[in-house]
Amino acid sequence: MELSTVWFLLIALLFVGYFVLEGFDFGVGMLLPVLGRDERERRVMINTIGPVWDGNEVWLITAGGAMFAAFPEWYASVFSGFYLPLLLILLALILRGVAFEYRGKRADPVWKRRWDRCIVFGSFVPAVLWGVAFANIVRGVPLNADHDYIGGFFTLLNPYALLGGLTTLALFLTHGAVFVALKTVGDIRQRANRLAERLGIAAVIAAALFLGLTLARRATTAAVILAVLAALCLVGGLIANRLPSRDDPQGRREGWAFAGTAAAIALAVASLFADLYPFVLPSTVDPATNSLTVANASSTPYTLKIMTWVAVIFTPLVLLYQGWTYWVFRKRIGTQHIPEEVVAPQPAAR
């Protein structure tokens, strides 16, 4: 297998990891005012993702860096053509990060509500726009002979791409509700389980429509198999969410449910990349000559060889560190574990 194909697969793997991990913390962020009925419950929800949300974003940074180094023309065409949506995603992620850091700096309820809205906004915008962006990459965009994007912002907001955005939104909300149920105890756990049931129905319908339209346009055997497996995992996860737990009469099998939604997102993203190959960005103007492919968009073999050695050395270290983080913070939490408000000292008034 050529190194350009290896790096296409590695970039696909990085985006799979990003959507699985960041997907549930986007979901938790969007559900903050829905499941968190008071300040203590909202702090429980934030604490479920507090130790891991910034580490999850490492997958996006690594995927972007790998695209830049391994496929510079792909990176240039996507980041110039999708400039406004990607800028909105970046601003939303920054606002979300600032909100996590600042909402606990003052005990004022108005202050906290404003930052909570920022968390919801900063989770909602990427959840929708990532789906819009990837739907356009799979569908293809207007590229000229120099591989430059010649469409506008509203070209990206076509019905198929908007359906992609609704699909990622529904999947991440379901994934987030299942994660809250998995990581909490008490009333919030029960509400998260019930909400996951309702959100799961919307996710199944949206995902079936989107993957069906995708495969109807240009299907490969691998893409079809992965899409079918994704659908089975999503349905299996939702069924597991209704089954009673063996250890806790009040609970359900949230671990199996979370594994199901995580596998569904992973297999759906893998299906999109399988459907895309050997293209990395098809052209809707002249697909035969203007499209970017794994072959014509890749860096030199020497560059890819150096990148491969770097990945072989550092990827296991990153995976070990992230795995250790999830293991350390694996226990459930509830409102009884939330201490009294501790506010950072304010500077004295002059």
Side-chain angles (χ1 to χ4, degrees):
M1 184 181 293
E2 295 183 358
L3 283 179
S4 56
T5 303
V6 170
W7 273 98
F8 176 79
L9 295 174
L10 287 175
I11 289 170
L13 181 63
L14 289 168
F15 275 110
V16 165
Y18 174 67
F19 284 122
V20 169
L21 297 178
E22 193 86 301
F24 72 73
D25 71 50
F26 283 154
V28 174
M30 288 186 284
L31 295 174
L32 188 62
V34 179
L35 291 174
R37 292 183 175 175
D38 55 32
E39 171 58 17
R40 275 183 174 266
E41 288 190 347
R42 286 190 285 274
R43 286 172 66 188
V44 167
M45 291 182 66
I46 291 174
N47 283 356
T48 62
I49 58 173
V52 298
W53 71 268
D54 47 356
N56 294 342
E57 292 185 351
V58 170
W59 290 76
L60 174 63
I61 296 169
T62 309
M67 279 181 68
F68 172 75
F71 299 98
E73 281 211 68
W74 185 18
Y75 179 91
S77 297
V78 168
F79 276 74
S80 60
F82 297 8
Y83 178 78
L84 189 54
L86 293 179
L87 179 63
L88 288 173
I89 289 174
L90 178 62
L91 293 176
L93 291 177
I94 292 172
L95 184 63
R96 182 170 176 266
V98 171
F100 281 133
E101 298 293 335
Y102 273 69
R103 78 176 301 279
K105 299 296 184 184
R106 293 172 59 182
D108 182 3
V110 176
W111 170 272
K112 291 181 182 298
R113 278 200 299 273
R114 287 174 179 169
W115 287 118
D116 287 347
R117 292 187 192 115
C118 292
I119 292 173
V120 174
F121 177 81
S123 304
F124 172 80
V125 170
V128 173
L129 290 184
W130 277 126
V132 171
F134 268 82
N136 277 297
I137 289 174
V138 174
R139 171 180 175 268
V141 294
L143 295 178
N144 63 18
D146 295 325
H147 301 146
D148 293 328
Y149 179 74
I150 55 175
F153 172 70
F154 290 102
T155 307
L156 302 174
L157 302 180
N158 54 79
Y160 172 75
L162 293 175
L163 178 59
L166 287 175
T167 302
T168 50
L169 176 65
L171 283 173
F172 292 167
L173 281 169
T174 306
H175 199 33
V178 172
F179 182 77
V180 172
L182 175 67
K183 292 291 292 180
T184 58
V185 294
D187 291 343
I188 191 170
R189 178 186 182 187
Q190 308 299 329
R191 292 200 300 273
N193 271 321
R194 291 194 294 270
L195 184 61
E197 291 177 12
R198 296 193 288 271
L199 290 171
I201 295 171
V204 168
I205 295 171
L209 283 173
F210 178 68
L211 291 177
L213 283 175
T214 302
L215 298 178
R217 296 174 62 86
R218 185 183 60 243
T220 63
T221 304
V224 172
I225 293 172
L226 291 168
V228 171
L229 290 175
L232 292 175
C233 287
L234 181 57
V235 173
L238 296 176
I239 292 173
N241 189 54
R242 296 180 61 88
L243 298 177
S245 170
R246 289 180 179 176
D247 305 323
D248 184 357
Q250 303 297 320
R252 303 182 187 180
R253 299 196 177 186
E254 291 102 352
W256 285 105
F258 183 73
T261 55
I265 293 173
L267 290 165
V269 176
S271 173
L272 295 182
F273 275 93
D275 194 58
L276 185 63
Y277 185 83
F279 298 100
V280 291
L281 189 61
S283 170
T284 55
V285 177
D286 187 347
T289 58
N290 292 2
S291 296
L292 283 169
T293 67
V294 170
N296 68 17
S298 68
S299 294
T300 64
Y302 180 70
T303 301
L304 296 178
K305 185 177 180 181
I306 293 175
M307 289 176 62
T308 304
W309 279 111
V310 172
V312 167
I313 295 170
F314 289 102
T315 302
L317 298 177
V318 174
L319 292 176
L320 282 173
Y321 172 74
Q322 278 219 310
W324 177 78
T325 304
Y326 277 90
W327 175 255
V328 169
F329 296 100
R330 66 188 181 280
K331 292 186 177 178
R332 295 176 184 267
I333 60 172
T335 51
Q336 66 272 29
H337 302 121
I338 299 298
E340 293 297 324
E341 187 86 32
V342 177
V343 180
Q346 302 297 310
R350 294 182 178 178

